[in-house]
């Protein structure tokens, strides 16, 4: 049984408020997500910008909407930060590793796509590469030039933000303050600090790995124009949702809006702008430039399954910063294994039939789950409903599986095919383990959680994990953990 998902209430960065989501064409949603720059591994913080649109897309699909999802790959490595200057990162990586630019970008595109899959993300419907859309970018720049929105200086063609009076509106920018803080890179001869490159000319006398002919000379496109050109190519002049990390609001998305609304003559270009907040690593922003490249493999190396990171992601609202520690993700992994254990037990009990269940018991919980997600994707509240479903003693196996199978359309933990975590209950064989488990239960019964946690840690030190099963708590050997 599946519920009617209530109308999604979704925050729009541009209007700075939550609005009921209405696509331009009833029943159909066009969605563009800023994807990876593929000259280096994509760290876990970047993956939050993949998990957020995946959650949104799955909620829209569960609502019965038809979604076209476009995610770009920035494989032209020039302007991958807000500055219009600086090294070409693809070229630098290629030179450093003695490989071609195409080899570098193919390698890191694959790494990113693999990690996305391991985190349970649906494949994008369209995955356009910037380097394969140079003519579309040139065409958009030509239109802007013909309309008088551009000017040329020695190193390229720039967008003149003075020709778009609404430039500061999108992000609520104070352009004078922007200039004062040096937030925008200084390039000699730019008319305003906020002006940005549309086309950069190859420096005279140099041979680049990636350069193309254009009406302005041999060179390469600016970063911002790729997203406008590819979104237009696959979603049309206007579309419903554009996603990205919150760090894109002030420059990249502001510039996308400016060039798109000018070139296409539309407003608003995009109905809903959805931005996810940062993932914090010990209070420090995960950033490639600081040398942190924490990737999914780092979780796996610590015995944490990748989907634990998806569970962890769902524990915070996408518009709130989330603090990362390995312990927190490991704890999410424990919660996920407990959920999986209960789901598999319920599923197998009813032979996989998700249509049974008593609606007087299931429907209030089903409604609570979908209401939470329809409330600007409140995943933490939805997860608390999942916990209730797992714990609630009055639910039957049929009730439980009817709910969890439905919820997994968005949770994406693969519950329909999951197998129970390996290992048997060690307390059945080892009296010492049995005594520890019993002591932990007693501590929990008297709400002495400090002792309960200490015993859990003691068991963990023996490579054992406490899993609460329908038959009571069990101590199971962790995958890969040796008997000491
Ligand atoms: Zn973009």
């Amino acid at each position: 049984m599946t519920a009617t998902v209530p109308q999604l209430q979704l925050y729009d960065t541009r209007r700075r408020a939550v609005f009921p989501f209405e696509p331009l064409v009833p029943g159909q949603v066009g969605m563009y997500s800023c994807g990876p720059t593929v000259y280096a591994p994509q760290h876990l913080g970047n993956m939050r910008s993949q998990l957020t649109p995946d959650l949104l897309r799955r909620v829209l699909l569960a609502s019965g909407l038809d979604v076209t999802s476009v995610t770009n790959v920035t494989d032209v490595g020039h302007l991958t930060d807000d500055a219009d200057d600086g090294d070409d990162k693809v070229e630098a990586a290629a030179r450093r590793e003695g490989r071609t630019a195409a080899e570098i970008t193919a390698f890191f595109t694959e790494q990113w796509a693999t990690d996305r899959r391991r985190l349970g993300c649906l494949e994008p419907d369209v995955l356009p590469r910037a380097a394969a859309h140079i003519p579309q970018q040139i065409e958009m720049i030509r239109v802007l030039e013909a309309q008088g929105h551009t000017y040329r200086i020695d190193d390229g063609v720039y967008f003149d933000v003075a020709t778009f009076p609404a430039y500061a509106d999108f992000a609520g920018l104070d352009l004078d303050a922007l200039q004062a803080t040096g937030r925008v890179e200084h390039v000699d001869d730019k008319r305003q600090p906020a002006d940005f490159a549309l086309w950069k000319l190859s420096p005279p006398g140099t041979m680049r790995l990636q350069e193309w002919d254009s009406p302005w000379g041999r060179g390469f496109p600016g970063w911002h124009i790729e997203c406008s050109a590819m979104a237009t190519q696959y979603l049309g002049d206007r579309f419903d949702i554009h996603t990205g990390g919150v760090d894109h609001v002030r420059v990249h998305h502001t510039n996308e809006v400016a060039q798109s609304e000018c070139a296409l003559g539309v407003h608003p270009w995009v109905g809903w702008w959805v931005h996810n907040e940062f993932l914090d690593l010990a209070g420090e922003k995960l950033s490639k430039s600081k040398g942190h490249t924490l990737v999914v493999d780092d979780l796996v190396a610590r015995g944490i399954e990748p989907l634990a990171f998806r569970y962890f992601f769902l524990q915070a609202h996408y518009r709130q910063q989330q603090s990362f520690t390995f312990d927190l993700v490991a704890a999410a992994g424990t919660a996920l294994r407990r959920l999986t254990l209960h789901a598999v037990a319920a599923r197998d009990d009813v032979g996989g039939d998700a249509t049974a269940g008593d609606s007087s018991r299931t429907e209030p919980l089903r409604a609570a789950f979908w209401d939470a997600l329809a409330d600007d994707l409140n995943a933490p509240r939805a997860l608390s409903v999942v916990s209730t479903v797992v714990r609630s003693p009055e639910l039957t196996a049929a009730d439980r599986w009817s709910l969890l199978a439905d919820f997994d359309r968005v949770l994406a933990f693969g519950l329909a095919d999951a197998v129970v975590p390996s290992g048997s209950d060690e307390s059945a064989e080892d009296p010492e383990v049995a005594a520890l488990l019993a002591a932990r239960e007693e501590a929990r019964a008297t709400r002495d959680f400090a002792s309960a946690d200490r015993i859990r840690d003691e068991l963990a030190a023996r490579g054992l994990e406490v899993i609460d099963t329908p038959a009571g708590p069990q101590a199971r050997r962790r995958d890969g953990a040796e008997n000491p």
Side-chain angles (χ1 to χ4, degrees):
M1 190 186 297
T2 54
T4 310
V5 180
Q7 184 178 38
L8 175 62
Q9 306 290 317
L10 188 61
Y11 186 84
D12 172 27
T13 303
R14 183 178 67 84
R15 291 176 285 174
R16 298 173 184 79
V18 170
F19 291 91
F21 178 70
E22 308 259 13
L24 290 166
V25 178
Q28 290 177 27
V29 181
M31 184 169 159
Y32 186 93
S33 301
C34 284
T37 51
V38 287
Y39 60 87
Q42 290 294 300
H43 58 66
L44 288 170
N46 297 135
M47 296 319 273
R48 216 180 168 201
S49 307
Q50 298 301 312
L51 287 162
T52 299
D54 187 71
L55 173 64
L56 172 55
R57 183 177 168 196
R58 286 175 178 276
V59 170
L60 294 168
L61 289 169
S63 316
L65 295 164
D66 193 5
V67 182
T68 302
S69 149
V70 180
T71 301
N72 71 301
V73 171
T74 300
D75 58 350
V76 183
H78 321 94
L79 308 178
T80 49
D81 54 26
D82 295 342
D84 283 334
D85 271 351
D87 281 349
D88 177 327
K89 294 179 172 112
V90 168
E91 303 248 337
R95 256 180 250 112
R96 191 171 59 240
E97 309 202 3
R99 298 202 277 175
T100 67
E103 283 170 341
I104 292 286
T105 59
F107 178 84
F108 289 114
T109 301
E110 188 51 38
Q111 182 258 335
W112 166 83
T114 303
D115 279 359
R116 267 181 108 262
R117 258 171 240 135
R118 293 157 96 190
L119 299 179
C121 294
L122 296 168
E123 298 293 320
D125 295 313
V126 190
L127 188 65
R129 293 187 303 111
H133 294 77
I134 301 297
Q136 290 88 338
Q137 296 174 68
I138 288 174
E139 181 52 30
M140 197 172 238
I141 300 167
R142 284 170 62 109
V143 170
L144 291 168
E145 184 177 51
Q147 293 172 342
H149 290 294
T150 69
Y151 60 91
R152 282 194 60 169
I153 53 178
D154 277 355
D155 75 337
V157 180
Y158 282 75
F159 185 92
D160 182 351
V161 302
T163 67
F164 183 57
Y167 182 80
D169 294 354
F170 177 72
L173 296 179
D174 177 342
L175 290 179
D176 294 335
L178 204 67
Q179 183 162 12
T181 58
R183 177 80 176 86
V184 179
E185 192 76 11
H186 177 75
V187 172
D188 286 344
D189 307 331
K190 278 206 309 195
R191 292 179 187 168
Q192 289 91 206
D195 292 350
F196 55 93
L198 296 165
W199 189 265
K200 294 276 276 188
L201 296 167
S202 298
T206 62
M207 251 300 277
R208 298 172 46 84
L209 295 171
Q210 292 177 298
E211 56 180 10
W212 294 267
D213 286 325
S214 83
W216 312 282
R218 207 159 167 76
F220 48 91
W223 172 38
H224 315 298
I225 195 72
E226 83 174 64
C227 286
S228 291
M230 294 194 289
T232 306
Q233 166 93 9
Y234 295 105
L235 297 172
D237 288 358
R238 293 181 66 204
F239 57 95
D240 300 300
I241 299 170
H242 194 315
T243 77
V246 70
D247 50 330
H248 287 340
V249 175
R250 293 170 61 85
V251 179
H252 181 48
H253 289 167
T254 289
N255 292 349
E256 279 191 43
V257 168
Q259 67 205 1
S260 300
E261 297 204 349
C262 289
L264 303 168
V266 295
H267 179 78
W269 177 45
V270 169
W272 272 259
W273 285 87
V274 175
H275 291 101
N276 60 281
E277 262 292 349
F278 286 130
L279 184 67
D280 269 314
L281 179 66
E284 183 193 17
K285 179 187 147 191
L286 278 180
S287 156
K288 281 171 285 212
S289 59
K290 288 180 185 164
H292 300 298
T293 43
L294 202 55
V295 295
V296 172
D297 274 340
D298 291 308
L299 299 175
V300 175
R302 286 166 172 79
I304 302 170
E305 60 191 308
L307 280 178
F309 188 76
R310 187 179 180 96
Y311 194 105
F312 167 76
F313 160 75
L314 295 171
Q315 289 176 312
H317 192 266
Y318 74 96
R319 284 198 289 123
Q320 288 174 336
Q321 286 199 13
Q322 186 175 26
S323 296
F324 174 93
T325 67
F326 283 109
D327 282 350
L328 286 170
V329 183
T334 302
L336 173 58
R337 271 194 297 281
R338 191 179 304 129
L339 163 62
T340 305
L341 197 74
H342 282 271
V344 168
R347 180 195 73 196
D348 293 352
D349 208 52
V350 295
D353 180 5
T355 63
D358 181 326
S359 59
S360 71
R361 289 188 299 265
T362 56
E363 294 325 283
L365 290 162
R366 200 187 304 278
F369 179 85
W370 291 111
D371 282 350
L373 290 172
D375 180 9
D376 195 26
L377 307 176
N378 194 328
R381 214 169 84 211
L383 268 192
S384 78
V385 178
V386 173
S387 296
T388 304
V389 170
V390 166
R391 287 208 199 99
S392 181
E394 56 266 27
L395 295 180
T396 65
D399 296 338
R400 208 167 264 138
W401 181 240
S402 145
L403 291 166
L404 294 177
D406 182 28
F407 299 171
D408 205 38
R409 291 187 291 157
V410 165
L411 300 174
F413 295 139
L415 298 178
D417 308 310
V419 287
V420 172
S422 61
S424 55
D425 182 16
E426 299 253 338
S427 66
E429 295 158 28
D430 186 338
E432 214 175 309
V433 172
L436 282 169
L437 215 50
R440 176 176 171 272
E441 277 312 282
E442 206 176 300
R444 272 156 51 109
T446 57
R447 304 188 66 76
D448 178 4
F449 295 114
S451 298
D453 286 351
R454 189 177 41 71
I455 297 166
R456 186 202 57 205
D457 291 346
E458 203 170 314
L459 288 163
R462 296 165 181 241
L464 298 173
E465 179 157 30
V466 180
I467 295 178
D468 294 306
T469 78
Q474 299 186 347
R476 297 193 182 195
R477 189 148 301 285
R478 265 191 268 204
D479 294 346
E482 289 301 313
N483 201 341

